Amino acid sequence: MKVLVPVKRVVDYNVKVRVKSDQSGVDIANVKMSMNPFDEIAVEEATRLKEAGTATEVIAVSCGVAQCQETLRTAMAIGADRAALVQTDVELQPLAVAKLLKAVAEKEQVNLVILGKQAIDDDANQTGQMLAALLGWPQATFASKVVIEGEHAKVTREVDGGLETISVKLPAIITTDLRLNEPRYVTLPNIMKAKKKQLDTLTPEELGVDVTPRIKTLKVSEPPSRKAGIKVADVAGLVDKLKNEAKVI
Amino acid sequence: MTTLVIAEHDNQQLKPATLNAVAAAQKIGGDIHILVVGGGAQDVAAQAAKVAGVASVLLADAEHLKDFLAENVAEQVLAVAGDYSHIVFPATASGKNVAPRVAAKLDVAQISDITAVDSPDTFERPIYAGNAVAIVQSSDEKKVITVRVTAFDGVAAEGGTAEVKTLQAVADSGLSSFVGREVAKNDRPELTAATVVVSGGRGMGSAENFKLLEPLADKLGAALGASRAAVDAGFAPNDWQVGQTGKIVAPQLYVAIGISGAIQHLAGMKDSKVIVAINKDPEAPIFGVADYGLVADLFTAVPELEKAI
């Protein structure tokens, strides 16, 4: 079974982003970029499937600017066998990415695609579901446990109020939640090995996909800031404030 | 211009998230219809018909729709999508699961988690874990939207007199099947709907210690929440997690106990009306957003607070 793992290069989750002064977007020049944390979990899961003998090959794919190659090298250092970059400088939105991934999934004849449930920059939580729709495959989103059983994948999902387990027919799409696994640290020898692995570059034109954005960002602003609070000296002071000033209890 | 709101329910009760989604639909303008997709969900349709401001309720009821599998629900929405300019889902686990599938089949971009409606094609939504707010405009003919439920006050559940129209259910896709469900036991108010939330973090130290929060939550009639660190450490169940990757809450009062206040956590609670933080580290970032901060050891402060209320 071939597994495709899409990965996204995003602003590192520890960075507190700033809005540009012209309100055209968020300033991401000169900030640390990393692999989207949910995608790391996806690469780890695919690698574990390979180690268990379930997957034969793991292909990492990323869409975006040339620097996404670094993200793909990281995926290969975790365990992906090879990688592909769909290179473009156009701003990519989830629908366009889903179309690109559909083309790659068909070209590579994969049976399973594992994606992160959302990217921590646009917080959209759409791409996996959209890809499933475009391919006409079933989807198992927000996965916290995956068991491949022959022609089906049994997936436990994190839903409001608890967990649910569904069975999806392969080929299928899985999106990862935080609890699915703990991604391994990449080691120096594996980083060196990853440099020798194959990385192909494609373009949206080659794949025949129109990536023109459908949603226009008119303005990006800082969220309203909360007015500075106060520190109270003790529990009695806190209760007094809650009762008499905030009137919430 | 007519908006279709997809109901959130459990086949018995219409969930409050639906009322918030209807509120967002009202801001868009035009008629509002509610679609109930489920199995044995006639009561839900009857409840939906009473929701204020709703012109019509559509019910698609079949055994294979009972467990809300994305493939089937999306097909059911698509079966009627042609009649609507806007298709609105609450941004719950189930709305987030289905909406993009519908959008992709319609070949439109979806707008996730809107917090405000500026015009029928322009919406506000948080990005980067709520560290920025984007105003976005859709150029698609149909808009598929998910609504952040805490950002809109729900419409009244009573007062409407819509008619319920039964739809023919779509065929079972056969692509997926339901296996089982593990519902976390909880007698407390639902986390996303609670007016008071008491949350614990890594500072609680253990699952055992997390029980310390229960008497306080009982007294306040509060829902219990947790930070990602507390959930990852196994102190609290997954569905208690408040944050960018968990639930988004905006109660009247949010009490953060032993929570440092990482960006990912703040994204889930910083729209609360009043935030209280109890933490022994005076430098913890949570004090930057707290209206009232108490620098103290939680193991003494929490029981004391419980007694004092």
Side-chain angles (χ1 to χ4, degrees):
Chain A
M1 181 169 76
K2 268 182 163 183
V3 183
L4 184 70
V5 188
V7 294
K8 185 175 186 183
R9 176 178 180 266
V10 298
V11 170
D12 189 88
Y13 72 98
N14 281 313
V15 174
K16 188 167 187 317
V17 294
R18 298 246 169 261
V19 170
K20 285 188 200 165
S21 51
D22 66 355
Q23 298 196 311
S24 63
V26 160
D27 192 3
I28 57 167
N30 307 316
V31 302
K32 186 177 177 223
M33 306 291 280
S34 303
M35 188 190 298
N36 180 42
F38 290 100
D39 303 350
E40 272 185 64
I41 295 170
V43 181
E44 174 67 33
E45 194 66 17
T47 305
R48 288 185 191 186
L49 287 175
K50 192 177 172 211
E51 287 165 350
T54 314
T56 49
E57 191 180 29
V58 176
I59 307 157
V61 58
S62 191
C63 306
V65 295
Q67 291 90 322
C68 295
Q69 286 183 16
E70 294 162 22
T71 315
L72 289 168
R73 292 288 172 203
T74 308
M76 290 191 284
I78 296 172
D81 297 293
R82 59 189 172 89
L85 168 65
V86 184
Q87 195 174 331
T88 174
D89 290 331
V90 177
E91 180 212 330
L92 292 176
Q93 293 175 348
L95 183 62
V97 174
K99 288 178 180 175
L100 293 172
L101 294 177
K102 173 179 187 266
V104 174
E106 283 171 344
K107 181 168 167 276
E108 297 285 356
Q109 304 253 305
V110 300
N111 307 73
L112 182 65
V113 186
I114 309 180
L115 306 88
K117 82 163 174 183
Q118 75 188 56
I120 60 165
D121 51 1
D122 63 14
D123 285 332
N125 194 333
Q126 299 174 5
T127 309
Q129 294 90 314
M130 287 184 153
L131 177 60
L134 297 176
L135 286 164
W137 293 1
Q139 66 187 50
T141 51
F142 325 144
S144 61
K145 191 176 171 203
V146 174
V147 183
I148 307 289
E149 294 173 333
E151 291 304 297
H152 290 83
K154 209 165 123 186
V155 180
T156 302
R157 308 178 53 234
E158 292 195 10
V159 293
D160 298 335
L163 299 171
E164 73 170 34
T165 305
I166 60 170
S167 171
V168 291
K169 209 167 163 180
L170 297 174
I173 306 291
I174 292 173
T175 75
T176 64
D177 214 321
L178 283 170
R179 253 72 57 177
L180 182 58
N181 61 48
E182 182 107 10
R184 69 195 68 183
Y185 287 105
V186 292
T187 59
L188 187 60
N190 284 342
I191 293 171
M192 300 312 286
K193 269 186 230 155
K195 286 188 179 164
K196 297 204 182 75
K197 289 184 181 175
Q198 180 190 342
L199 196 165
D200 300 320
T201 304
L202 304 157
T203 62
E205 294 72 36
E206 279 173 71
L207 295 170
V209 176
D210 174 14
V211 294
T212 315
R214 306 283 192 84
I215 295 176
K216 201 161 101 186
T217 300
L218 304 179
K219 187 176 145 185
V220 175
S221 52
E222 297 272 354
S225 59
R226 297 185 70 94
K227 73 172 173 50
I230 54 158
K231 284 205 176 127
V232 293
D234 51 23
V235 169
L238 177 60
V239 174
D240 174 61
K241 291 283 184 199
L242 291 178
K243 277 192 174 145
N244 302 319
E245 194 175 277
K247 297 191 174 39
V248 284
I249 57 171
Chain B
M1 199 172 75
T2 311
T3 297
L4 184 67
V5 175
I6 315 302
E8 172 88 8
H9 66 96
D10 59 4
N11 291 318
Q12 278 141 27
Q13 290 291 324
L14 186 73
K15 299 277 170 159
T18 317
L19 306 177
N20 306 101
V22 170
Q26 275 184 341
K27 300 240 157 77
I28 293 167
D31 277 353
I32 299 168
H33 296 180
I34 294 184
L35 171 63
V36 177
V37 182
Q42 286 81 4
D43 289 354
V44 177
Q47 292 160 29
K50 288 191 202 139
V51 172
V54 172
S56 175
V57 172
L58 309 176
L59 170 66
D61 200 88
E63 183 58 27
H64 64 269
L65 297 173
K66 182 171 67 118
D67 296 304
F68 316 118
L69 292 163
E71 297 76 18
N72 292 338
V73 178
E75 279 310 315
Q76 191 68 60
V77 176
L78 289 163
V80 293
D83 301 337
Y84 297 95
S85 60
H86 293 73
I87 301 173
V88 172
F89 294 78
T92 54
S94 128
K96 289 175 183 175
N97 191 29
V98 177
R101 201 167 171 109
V102 170
K105 290 258 169 122
L106 294 170
D107 193 31
V108 304
Q110 182 201 303
I111 303 160
S112 296
D113 244 326
I114 63 160
T115 50
V117 177
D118 290 0
S119 80
D121 69 355
T122 308
F123 308 92
E124 296 182 22
R125 60 178 303 266
I127 52 174
Y128 288 89
N131 284 310
V133 179
I135 300 178
V136 296
Q137 187 175 41
S138 162
S139 58
D140 288 313
E141 203 168 302
K142 269 186 207 308
K143 323 288 188 255
V144 177
I145 296 160
T146 64
V147 171
R148 174 164 293 192
V149 295
T150 56
F152 296 88
D153 292 329
V155 298
E158 302 280 338
T161 49
E163 206 176 312
V164 178
K165 200 171 105 191
T166 305
L167 299 176
Q168 165 136 33
V170 293
D172 189 351
S173 74
L175 291 171
S176 59
S177 57
F178 182 77
V179 178
R181 185 171 287 134
E182 247 182 82
V183 181
K185 266 197 283 176
N186 209 343
D187 306 328
R188 300 181 182 284
E190 205 185 338
L191 188 53
T192 48
T195 52
V196 182
V197 174
V198 174
S199 269
R202 204 202 306 267
M204 296 305 300
S206 70
E208 208 43 47
N209 290 345
F210 231 83
K211 295 205 170 67
L212 268 179
L213 301 181
E214 286 175 9
L216 177 62
D218 286 342
K219 262 214 171 147
L220 291 166
L224 282 172
S227 69
R228 180 180 159 189
V231 171
D232 282 350
F235 301 170
N238 297 346
D239 58 316
W240 286 16
Q241 189 189 316
V242 171
Q244 182 189 22
T245 56
K247 297 212 167 75
I248 315 284
V249 300
Q252 293 290 306
L253 174 61
Y254 188 90
V255 188
I257 299 169
I259 292 176
S260 64
I263 295 173
Q264 113 88 27
H265 185 74
L266 301 183
M269 46 64 83
K270 70 182 170 55
D271 293 324
S272 306
K273 187 163 169 269
V274 175
I275 298 173
V276 169
I278 301 176
N279 203 304
K280 65 179 177 200
D281 174 12
E283 302 300 319
I286 190 78
F287 288 119
V289 300
D291 300 279
Y292 304 111
L294 176 61
V295 181
D297 181 23
L298 68 95
F299 295 103
T300 54
V302 170
E304 225 180 290
L305 179 60
E306 187 253 315
K307 276 194 204 85
I309 291 170

